[in-house]
Structures are given as structure tokens and as C-alpha cells.
Amino acid sequence: MREGDSGRGRRVFAVLDLTIHSVERVLRFIGACMMLAVMVIVAGDVFARYFFNAPFSWSYDLISIYLMVGIFFFFLSDTFRYHGHVAVDIVQNRLGRRARHASQFVAGAVSCVVFGLALWVGVGRAWSSYVVGEALAGAIAWPMWVALSFVPLGISLLFLRLVLATLGHAVSFALERDFAPLPPLAGTEEAP
Amino acid sequence: QQITLRVADNLPATHFLAEHGTTYFMEEVTKRTDGRVTFEYYPSQQLGKSKDMLTILQSGLADIALVVPSYMSEKLPLSGVIDLPGGTSTSCQGGKVYSELLEQDGWLAKNEFSKAGARKVFVYVNPPYEMFLASGDTPNVLDLGGAKVRSVGGALDLVVRELNGVPVRLAAPEIRESLSRGTVDGIVFPVPTVKSYKLQDLIKSGTRGAKLATVATGYMISDAAWAKLPADVQAVIEAVGDEAMQRVCAHVDKDVAATFETFEQAGITIADVSAQEQQVLQDVFAKVREDWAKGLDARGLPGSDALVAFNDVLAATN
Amino acid sequence: MLAAAGFLLLVVLLALGTPVGFSLAVVGTAGLWWIGNLDIVLGVLKTAPLSTVSSYELIAVPMFILMAEFVILSGVANSLFSAAATWVGRVPGGLAIATSLAGAGFGAISGSSTAAAATLSATSIPAMLERGYEPRLACGVVAVSGTLAMLIPPSVALVIYGIIADVDIGALLIGGIIPGIIVTFAIVATILTLIWRDPSRAQRSRAYTMREKLASLRIVGPMLVLLFSVTGVIYTGIATPTEASGIGALGAFAIALGAGRVRPALVLQAATRAGHATCMIMMIIMGAHIFGYFFTLTQTTQMLVAWVAALDVTPYLIMALIILGYLVLGCLMDQIAILILTVPILLPVIIDLGFDPVWFGVLVIITAEVGLITPPVGLNVFVVARYAKQPIGEIFAGVWPHVVAHILVIALLVALPQLVLWLPSTMR
Ligand code: NA
Ligand code: NA
């Protein structure tokens, strides 16, 4: 299989990839900040409880409703881009590039279906929560729609990325050129 | 024809509610329908977490599920009225009040559960929550002296703070360990839950009659599954459901009294809340209830109406 | 039957290179649709993604991973090996022994095996090769010592087991300590045996002066801070195991700050890498949830438990088969994925057979450790190969004596469960 010289087609994929990635970078920055926030809030909560007998009453809900949800969904698509979602590559190690494009196409297509459905119901769930004004009972009425909107936000990016990868692998397979990047095989390339 | 109903809950299969209520309900319905109705039982969160039980019903993953409104206060905000402090005094009274509000013309059924597409099979309301401390001092329920107390959030947080305690949120699996090494000084729990978490060897004192909160739960059937049942089966389910509720709450109320005695025999100091203390507590609770209702009113939900409906039913049972 | 079809489809998707979490979600979705209908599928897809990650207990996963990133940033990890080498470098195979001790030390302050292997590779392999150590011995020791991080608390793997199995996480973490020490001894014993058989495999290192030895103790301070910020905080009751993970991450951050290594870009990079690893793990948990609903509806677990209960054999034979199964799976799949996939199915069987879930958790982790160093999928071996620029076959050749030693340790823990259970029992 030839690599490299497929000119315009590759550039189209590269542009689309970078377009999605520009959003991913914003989201993962927020996700990273949320990660650091969890660290600071948890430690601060314990500190305030142990030394001042005054824990943060809001930390449990804030972390479990928003921050953990944000960390996962804001990293979801970026992790896929960096091939960070662990896969079993024992069979892939023994396949040629074209066969690997074919198998990545199938893998991408079935994933598109599932995440497409999850995106569809995720949007509906977030929207209805916003319309109804769902909020937790308690001292602070944390609105639920914020966390619920993280779900379709993260999944929509992953979905776009899956569609792009699936199409890319289909074209790569058909034209026998590497349009879409193949995941690295463990032990041969730099893992993310 | 043959009907199979999927039942889901979050309880371990050995839990007293499963043992005295759920299992009885399933076996009895099968018996009285001559085996026409059978059940597949999925305990221990096998079909989803406790906070997802309503969605599980709505999607048809389960036909009957144990719905605990306090786990999903964003979806069932009005049902929180049962859980407010100073409410019902026994499990059977709680069950009666909650059941009544969930009958077809009941206030909660009309205003909350019919919109969620679910209806009552049988309910279980916890006996009132009491304060239990890991220290031996007789607890002064009116002044906790800054004790760190495990709370579940919501109205209970407000109550604990009003009583000069410090509410601490902990995940359930960490309660035992936290209590044993002093991460928290106490817990607010109903008596049966103290036993099911095996905490009686860690607590040194407790209150009787504080009524700091309760938690209402109930097995609900989805409207879709209900509509598919023949009228005679529906009648059996309603009848057996009432019996199951009565069995569980009678068992629990007897058990609460007996357990307090075994606690005392084991050297745990149990302080009865005096009439005078109860009076002070009622003022605190009234404020918390008022705040709860106003909070919902402000969001355009009939919180005050819920409180009125609850008080009416409660007054009728007293 | 349907469950078998589901597993077959799962194997096919995994072979196609579909990420593990995605494969589980796809098979679960297909299975739910097959058993039920589209409403059920949509209902599950509506709740499972959010409710999997919207969890306070789960913060230990990102926090322990973040802690490992900050430990590496602080430079403490790199100093561990040189400090150990100063003290034991003089004995035969001293640098290899120092590597295993550094692995245990790193394990005590970090919960990620791959990070441990990477850090140890960067420092100890060049030192050993320079002193004329046989490459396969050197690389084998590094690969296997890295696995200790999974067993010695803090451990992401033990936390995940605790969450899935609904077992006291504090007891699990404390239960890993004695087996961690035993495994460390087993690694040292394996090194000594290898050198005893063929002394040319390792050269003695130079002697160190008392002044150098004392200077190496500078690392003790940061180590104690990190040990206290997790294990100490749990043991004294200042915080729960969940909260201790956040304190541990902040402790590692503070040490990196004290070492003058904190730059905003580096902190952001550490958080981003921890985010990728966290997301990967949570994706598998989520996929396993969706798969789990399907699997539950097939009622296979009940049949499995009933079938095993009806077998007229000793529970130890079944346990031996389970361990064998884990060793085989470990050759094929990621360790966390194996845990998440198998524990919910096997745990009812284990409990029914009368085994302790805390003991089983520690045993499964040790078995999974072996999987990290066995071909064809041995993540630590790949990491070492990349750093040491050695052929993968050479490293696999270097790890097999350690695999044998690990299996002996597993047998020991099966024979004497108290080695795991005693320390947690002293906690209250
Ligand atoms: Na560790
Ligand atoms: Na392996």
C-alpha cells in the first residue's frame, strides 16, 4: 500500500481533523482544570473539616454532579484522537495495512451507531431537563441540565470524530492509501 | 396467558425489605394468579443504580422497580415532602400516609408520579431517623456541640446545622470506616439501617424520638406494564401490595422497639427526647419545612401545596 | 446461549481493534435490542453514560493517576533508584535489587504500574547496562518491578475492584501491603537465584561512602510526606480512602512545587495525561455497565453460580481454574478491562464458594500483574522495550523467571489467606 502521496484528499481530512481538534483542545483544557479543581476541593474540604470543623457543604454535589462528569465527557473525544482508549491489538499486529483499515472501518461504523443513539437521547434528556428546570433538592438547588449538557457535548465531538475516522478508513481501504491514521500498535510506536 | 414481570431494586437480596416484602409479594402474586404471573427478580442494582430506577421503569428495562425519591430529587422533587423532619412517627404511619398520597386520586400520584408514568405497587417508609454518636456522652439533641455527623444532604443538612452539628457527606461504603476512626463523630440513621450497616458496635449513644428525617421508598410499576395486565391480575397486585406493605412496616416497627432495648442492654446510652425538647425541635423543623416549600415555590413547583396535602393526610392518620 | 453469542461478538469486535469500552457498549446495545426492544436500548443509553461517571467514589481513579503524574514531575521517582543503589549496590546483583526496591517504593507513592515501569526504565536500565548487566536480566527486573505499583497502596486497580465488588476500599488498600512486600522479596529472590546460577549476569557496583549514603536519605522526607498523605491519612481517620486520593495528589503537587519543577504548562500537561487515562478507564466501566445490563437479563450469572454450586469438586480446584483463566486473559487484554469485565460475573461465584472478597481482590491484582509482563500483550514490557531500545523478545525472555515466582506467590496466598486478611483486620 502506498503511503503519503494522496494530496488533496489527505488535506481535507487533516483540515477536518484540526477543526474538530480545536474544539477538543478547549474542552480538554476545561477538563484538566476540573481535574485540578477536584484535587484542590477534596483536599480543602478535608482540611476545613479536620482543622476548622467546617467542611464545604457543596463539595460532594459539585464534584459528583459536575466535575466528574466534565472530566469524562470533555476528555472523551480527545482521548480517542490520541488512541488513548485501550484496544486489543493482538490480531491487528498480524494484519496488513489495508486489512487494518477494513477492520477499523467496521469498528468505527458500529461505534457510530451506539454513540449516535447515545447522542440523540442525550440531547433530548438535557433539553427536557432544561425546560422543566430540574434541580437537586437541598441548600443549593444545583441545576441538572448543566451536567446533562456535558453528555451530548462530549459525545457529539466523539461522534463527529468517529464519522470522520470511519469515512477515512473506508476511503483508505477503497483507494489503498492512508487517509485516516491507523492506531499505533503496542510495542512499536509511542503510546499516548 | 403467561406474564413475566421484571422486578429491579438496589437492595442486597438479604435486606429485610426484600425478605419480608419483595419476596412475599412476588411469591404471593404468583400463587394467587395460579402461576400465571411470574417474576424475574434483579436485586443489588443489577439493572441500574438507585438513582436510575425511574428511567429503568420508563424504558421498560424493568416493569417494577424500587423508586426512592430522595435519590432523584431532581425528577421527583415533590415527593421529598414525606422525608422532611418531624413527619411520620412509625414506619406503618409513614407507609399509610405515603400510600394515600400515591392512590390514584392522591396528591403525589396526580402531581408527580402520573407524569413520570409510574404507579404504586407497595411502599416502605423508614422509621424516623435518629442521631447516633460514637462517643459515650448522652447526646443533647438540641446542641450537638459541633459534632461531625454523616448526612445525606438536602433538608437533613439544614436540620443538622440548626442543631449546631456539622453535616458531612460520605459515600455509603465509607460510613463504617469513617465512624470507626473518627472521620465523623456520628450518623443520622433509622434503627434498622444501623443494624444493616452493622454499626451497633461502633456507636455509644443515640436518641429516641427525635424524628430528624425519614426516607420514603416504594415499588412502582410502569404505566405501560400496568396497562397490559388483565383486571383480575391488577386486583391481585393491589391486594398483595397492601399486604406486603403492612407486613414489612409491622415487622420494622416491632423491630425498632426491640432493637432500642438490645442497644441499651449492650451499653449504648439511649436518650429519650423529652416533650420539651420535642417542642424546640418542632420549631426548627417547621422552619426547615417552610424553607423546603418556599424553595420549590420559587422554582414554579407547588411545594407549599405539597406540604398542605401532606399535613392533611398526616392529620387524618393521627 | 444468548450470552455466549454476546461474548462471541465481543471477541470479534475486540479482534477488529475496537477499543475495549466501545466494544462492550456495542455488544451490550445489540444484546439489549435483541432481548428487549429499542425503548430499552434508548433507556439504557440515556442513563448509563451519566450515571457511570457521576460518582463521588470514583474520584480516587483520576486522583491516584494525577498523583502519579505529579510524583514523576517532582523528580522523587527518579531519585528512588539512585538512593536504593547507594545502599544495596555493593551486593551481587545490587543494582537489580535496588531496581526492585525502587519499584516497591514507587508503588508506595503511586498507583500506576505503567508510570512506574517508565520511570524505572529511564533511570535503572542505563545504570545496569553500564555496569555490564545482562540486558534481559536488567529489563526483566524493571518490567516486573513496575507491576508492584498496582498492588502496594495507593492502587488504581484496587480502588476499581473495590467499587465494582462493593468491598471496603480501605481494607483492600491495606490488604495489599503484606502481599506487596512478599512479591518484592520474590523478585529479589529471583534475581539472586539467577545470579547464583550464572554470576556473569551481573557485576558488582562500586562502593559508596557513608557521606553518599546519608546524602541519599534526602529522599526520605518527600517519601514520608507522600506515604502519610495517602496511607497515613487513611489509617488515622483524617480522611476516607476516597478523599485521601485527592490529598495524595496535592501532596505530590506540593513536593513538585518544593523541588522547583512546577510550571503552568507542565501542570496542565500532567492533568491532561491523567485526564486521558481516567477517561479510558471510565469508558471501559461505562461499556461494562451497558454490557452488564444485557448480561444480567440473560440470567447467566445465576446459572453459573448454580452450576458451580452443583459441581462436586473442592472450591480450590475452581479457584485454580479461575486463576488460570485470569492468567490467560492477562496475556490478551488490559488489566483494568479484565477486572471490570470479569469481577461482576465471578464475584457471586467466589462468595458462594466461601472465599473472602478482599482476599480475592488482592489475588486478582497479583494475577493481573503477571498479565502486564506476559506476551503477547504485556504493557510493561512494551514500555521497557521503548526506553531500553531492546528487542521485545529479549525482555519477554527476561521476565519468565519472575512469572514463575509470581505463580508461587499466588499459590502461597491461596494456601494462607491470612497473609492478605490479617492487616486489614487490625484496622479497627
Ligand atoms: Na501503588
Ligand atoms: Na500480558
Side-chain angles (χ1 to χ4, degrees):
Chain A
M1 177 179 289
R2 280 169 292 167
E3 284 183 54
D5 61 347
S6 17
R8 223 172 56 167
R10 280 180 78 96
R11 275 203 298 280
V12 170
F13 275 100
V15 167
L16 289 173
D17 168 65
L18 287 176
T19 311
I20 298 175
H21 193 48
S22 60
V23 186
E24 281 167 346
R25 287 168 55 134
V26 174
L27 287 194
R28 85 168 181 207
F29 175 77
I30 302 172
C33 292
M34 287 174 152
M35 174 90 78
L36 297 171
V38 169
M39 173 181 85
V40 172
I41 293 170
V42 168
D45 187 23
V46 172
F47 187 83
R49 185 178 70 215
Y50 192 75
F51 291 103
F52 301 104
N53 218 22
F56 308 152
S57 58
W58 40 266
S59 68
Y60 192 99
D61 286 331
L62 180 72
I63 289 174
S64 56
I65 297 170
Y66 299 125
L67 298 183
M68 285 301 284
V69 177
I71 289 172
F72 176 76
F73 286 100
F74 293 167
F75 275 108
L76 184 58
S77 179
D78 196 57
T79 306
F80 184 77
R81 183 180 194 264
Y82 286 95
H83 306 291
H85 289 294
V86 62
V88 177
D89 44 18
I90 171 169
V91 178
Q92 299 291 303
N93 272 321
R94 285 158 179 75
L95 296 179
R97 298 192 77 83
R98 194 167 183 217
R100 288 181 64 200
H101 279 301
S103 59
Q104 287 296 314
F105 165 74
V106 178
V110 291
S111 303
C112 274
V113 174
V114 169
F115 286 101
L117 287 173
L119 175 60
W120 168 250
V121 291
V123 169
R125 172 99 179 76
W127 177 248
S128 68
S129 172
Y130 175 75
V131 171
V132 176
E134 281 183 2
L136 278 205
I140 303 173
W142 299 103
M144 279 305 290
W145 67 266
V146 178
L148 285 164
S149 69
F150 294 171
V151 179
L153 200 58
I155 295 183
S156 61
L157 269 188
L158 177 67
F159 181 68
L160 286 179
R161 193 155 272 302
L162 281 168
V163 170
L164 183 69
T166 306
L167 289 177
H169 288 300
V171 175
S172 304
F173 173 78
L175 302 182
E176 300 190 40
R177 286 197 180 93
D178 284 343
F179 286 98
L182 286 165
L185 296 173
T188 59
E189 285 165 71
E190 189 92 7
Chain B
Q1 86 282 22
Q2 194 65 36
I3 302 163
T4 305
L5 296 173
R6 282 197 289 263
V7 181
D9 63 36
N10 59 322
L11 309 169
T14 53
H15 192 273
F16 63 85
L17 174 52
E19 213 173 303
H20 294 273
T22 322
T23 314
Y24 169 82
F25 170 81
M26 294 187 297
E27 282 171 1
E28 203 60 26
V29 168
T30 302
K31 205 188 297 170
R32 289 192 210 171
T33 54
D34 300 320
R36 269 190 303 148
V37 179
T38 54
F39 296 89
E40 282 175 13
Y41 182 35
Y42 298 97
S44 320
Q45 307 201 25
Q46 285 180 40
L47 284 190
K49 294 195 184 175
S50 9
K51 63 183 170 192
D52 295 331
M53 286 293 166
L54 194 59
T55 322
I56 286 169
L57 276 187
Q58 291 162 341
S59 67
L61 192 57
D63 303 301
I64 296 175
L66 182 64
V67 174
V68 184
S70 63
Y71 289 149
M72 44 193 109
S73 62
E74 79 280 8
K75 289 206 193 80
L76 301 170
L78 300 169
S79 301
V81 69
I82 314 279
D83 301 349
L84 291 171
T88 55
S89 304
T90 61
S91 178
C92 280
Q93 189 192 21
K96 201 162 174 223
V97 171
Y98 193 35
S99 261
E100 203 135 309
L101 290 167
L102 289 179
E103 295 299 346
Q104 268 332 84
D105 50 353
W107 195 90
L108 279 177
K110 274 195 293 198
N111 289 282
E112 195 147 85
F113 278 92
S114 65
K115 292 173 191 159
R119 59 181 290 148
K120 176 195 72 159
V121 176
F122 73 90
V123 302
Y124 167 69
V125 177
N126 278 285
Y129 279 45
E130 304 287 345
M131 178 76 62
F132 294 98
L133 297 174
S135 74
D137 310 334
T138 310
N140 177 359
V141 73
L142 299 183
D143 183 3
L144 296 170
K148 292 185 288 261
V149 179
R150 192 262 180 178
S151 167
V152 289
L156 187 54
D157 265 11
L158 302 177
V159 173
V160 170
R161 226 173 281 142
E162 288 286 338
L163 301 175
N164 198 17
V166 178
V168 174
R169 299 287 292 279
L170 289 174
E174 295 189 325
I175 293 174
R176 198 190 148 73
E177 214 184 321
S178 303
L179 199 58
S180 76
R181 39 198 65 179
T183 315
V184 293
D185 305 310
I187 49 173
V188 180
F189 258 163
V191 171
T193 314
V194 174
K195 278 205 299 183
S196 59
Y197 278 72
K198 300 190 179 67
L199 299 173
Q200 58 269 42
D201 58 328
L202 294 178
I203 55 170
K204 301 281 191 315
S205 63
T207 61
R208 180 160 43 197
K211 297 208 281 182
L212 299 173
T214 187
V215 167
T217 73
Y219 283 92
M220 302 284 168
I221 186 166
S222 67
D223 286 344
W226 183 256
K228 279 189 217 143
L229 298 175
D232 62 323
V233 172
Q234 290 180 342
V236 170
I237 285 180
E238 280 180 335
V240 179
D242 287 344
E243 287 171 30
M245 176 191 86
Q246 210 52 48
R247 269 174 66 98
V248 180
C249 79
H251 164 81
V252 167
D253 285 336
K254 218 167 75 193
D255 189 51
V256 167
T259 305
F260 267 125
E261 275 169 34
T262 61
F263 281 3
E264 284 178 311
Q265 280 157 17
I268 299 171
T269 315
I270 298 296
D272 285 298
V273 178
S274 67
Q276 210 173 0
E277 286 171 324
Q278 193 57 253
Q279 200 52 53
V280 180
L281 282 178
Q282 281 308 329
D283 293 344
V284 172
F285 295 163
K287 183 169 172 286
V288 170
R289 296 151 79 89
E290 195 86 340
D291 287 350
W292 176 86
K294 277 188 193 143
L296 288 183
D297 291 345
R299 286 169 47 206
L301 295 164
S304 295
D305 292 354
L307 205 50
V308 169
F310 171 79
N311 284 333
D312 287 350
V313 176
L314 183 67
T317 63
N318 273 333
Chain C
M1 210 49 244
L2 205 51
F7 270 110
L8 192 69
L9 181 60
L10 185 64
V11 169
V12 170
L13 285 178
L14 289 174
L16 286 172
T18 320
V20 177
F22 292 28
S23 304
L24 288 165
V26 169
V27 177
T29 305
L32 283 170
W33 179 74
W34 184 253
I35 290 184
N37 51 47
L38 191 62
D39 280 344
I40 289 182
V41 170
L42 295 180
V44 167
L45 289 180
K46 191 164 24 169
T47 55
L50 184 71
S51 85
T52 301
V53 297
S54 176
S55 152
Y56 193 79
E57 292 106 291
L58 217 54
I59 64 176
V61 173
M63 288 301 106
F64 278 151
I65 296 173
L66 187 63
M67 181 182 176
E69 292 290 341
F70 284 146
V71 165
I72 292 168
L73 185 64
S74 72
V76 168
N78 288 324
S79 318
L80 271 174
F81 169 73
S82 49
T86 314
W87 288 87
V88 298
R90 194 75 186 114
V91 300
L95 289 181
I97 294 171
T99 303
S100 61
L101 295 181
F106 189 83
I109 56 175
S110 159
S112 160
S113 281
T114 329
T119 312
L120 285 174
S121 300
T123 52
S124 62
I125 289 180
M128 280 192 277
L129 295 183
E130 199 179 297
R131 297 297 302 178
Y133 274 60
E134 184 189 45
R136 67 169 63 169
L137 174 86
C139 294
V141 169
V142 173
V144 74
S145 300
T147 64
L148 284 168
M150 267 174 93
L151 181 58
I152 299 175
S155 157
V156 175
L158 281 172
V159 166
I160 289 177
Y161 175 88
I163 291 172
I164 307 170
D166 199 11
V167 172
D168 187 345
I169 292 171
L172 274 169
L173 291 175
I174 302 299
I177 292 177
I178 290 179
I181 294 170
I182 294 176
V183 171
T184 311
F185 275 119
I187 296 172
V188 172
T190 310
I191 297 166
L192 291 175
T193 309
L194 286 170
I195 293 171
W196 170 62
R197 296 282 300 273
D198 180 359
S200 73
R201 283 179 166 137
Q203 309 298 317
R204 275 171 197 250
S205 184
R206 74 175 175 92
Y208 290 85
T209 65
M210 207 50 190
R211 172 188 282 254
E212 284 174 301
K213 285 187 177 170
L214 290 178
S216 77
L217 293 179
R218 266 178 319 195
I219 193 160
V220 170
M223 278 294 288
L224 286 180
V225 169
L226 290 169
L227 271 176
F228 183 77
S229 68
V230 180
T231 313
V233 156
I234 296 175
Y235 212 91
T236 53
I238 292 173
T240 68
T242 303
E243 294 167 337
S245 65
I247 298 170
L250 192 69
F253 177 81
I255 288 171
L257 197 67
R261 289 167 186 256
V262 168
R263 310 271 175 282
L266 292 177
V267 172
L268 197 62
Q269 191 187 31
T272 304
R273 287 158 59 115
H276 284 151
T278 302
C279 182
M280 178 271 278
I281 291 174
M282 295 211 278
M283 184 61 227
I284 299 174
I285 298 179
M286 177 185 303
H289 265 156
I290 298 173
F291 181 80
Y293 295 145
F294 153 65
F295 192 78
T296 299
L297 287 182
T298 63
Q299 298 199 300
T300 309
T301 307
Q302 289 91 324
M303 285 185 257
L304 191 68
V305 172
W307 180 74
V308 171
L311 286 180
D312 192 21
V313 295
T314 158
Y316 288 96
L317 179 67
I318 297 166
M319 184 52 73
L321 288 174
I322 288 174
I323 291 169
L324 190 69
Y326 271 109
L327 289 172
V328 172
L329 271 183
C331 294
L332 304 172
M333 267 174 87
D334 175 76
Q335 274 52 49
I336 303 286
I338 295 172
L339 277 185
I340 297 167
L341 189 57
T342 59
V343 168
I345 298 169
L346 284 181
L347 199 70
V349 178
I350 301 294
I351 291 172
D352 206 51
L353 289 174
F355 292 107
D356 186 283
V358 169
W359 168 82
F360 182 65
V362 171
L363 202 70
V364 166
I365 301 296
I366 299 179
T367 317
E369 282 187 341
V370 179
L372 275 174
I373 52 171
T374 51
V377 183
L379 206 53
N380 275 16
V381 169
F382 298 143
V383 172
V384 172
R386 200 166 77 215
Y387 279 88
K389 311 224 166 21
Q390 295 284 331
I392 286 182
E394 185 77 358
I395 302 169
F396 278 131
V399 297
W400 77 259
H402 296 290
V403 172
V404 174
H406 264 79
I407 291 173
L408 291 177
V409 172
I410 292 171
L412 179 71
L413 295 180
V414 172
L416 300 171
Q418 281 309 311
L419 291 174
V420 177
L421 297 175
W422 174 73
L423 205 53
S425 74
T426 66
M427 275 167 69
R428 52 189 77 107

